[in-house]
């Protein structure tokens, strides 16, 4: 579902790029760990993170994404548009699950 959400977000007017969902320091740490690992498997960078949680008996899907804008849409409005698109997308596929979308604008006018 993460890759589908990434493609959806990239299709929202005003989104220029979807960044790794992890903060930079964690991305670097994962890359270093993968380089030092005896297994020859590069660390995967998650662009969208979906976590299911139980919130008092109700299932909640928490979706985290970091975006860069192209400047065509004001950043606050764009974040709201992306969050709304994610909620509609997830709700259509899993109507029994509540959706919380956390959209971080990491760069404006990329």
């Amino acid at each position: 579902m993460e890759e589908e959400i990434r493609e959806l977000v990239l299709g929202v007017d005003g989104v220029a790029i979807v960044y790794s969902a992890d903060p930079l320091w964690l991305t670097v740490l994962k890359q270093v760990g993968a380089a030092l690992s005896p297994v020859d498997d590069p660390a995967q960078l998650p662009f969208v993170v979906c976590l299911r949680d139980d919130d008092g008996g109700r299932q909640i899907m928490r979706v985290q994404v970091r975006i860069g804008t192209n400047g065509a849409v004001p950043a606050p409005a764009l974040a709201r548009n992306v969050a709304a698109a994610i909620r509609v997308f997830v709700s259509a596929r899993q109507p029994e699950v509540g959706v919380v979308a956390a959209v971080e604008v990491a760069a404006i006018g990329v």
Side-chain angles (χ1 to χ4, degrees):
M1 179 176 285
E2 286 88 350
E3 184 57 32
E4 291 174 304
I5 292 174
R6 179 175 178 259
E7 292 299 321
L8 169 78
V9 171
L10 283 170
V12 174
D13 185 41
V15 174
I17 189 169
V18 176
Y19 292 106
S20 169
D22 290 334
L24 181 60
W25 68 267
L26 185 55
T27 300
V28 170
L29 187 64
K30 285 181 178 180
Q31 294 296 321
V32 169
L36 297 175
S37 173
V39 178
D40 192 24
D41 187 21
Q44 298 296 318
L45 295 177
F47 290 98
V48 176
V49 175
C50 295
L51 301 171
R52 273 186 96 133
D53 196 10
D54 185 17
D55 186 23
R58 181 163 187 233
Q59 288 291 310
I60 301 291
M61 173 80 70
R62 299 182 194 284
V63 181
Q64 176 186 350
V65 64
R66 295 176 65 230
I67 62 170
T69 77
N70 63 14
V73 178
L78 182 58
R80 285 190 297 273
N81 294 346
V82 169
I86 290 170
R87 285 192 297 273
V88 167
F89 179 84
V90 174
S91 294
R93 282 153 184 77
Q94 299 180 17
E96 73 283 358
V97 175
V99 183
V100 175
V103 179
E104 178 184 342
V105 178
I108 297 174
V110 176

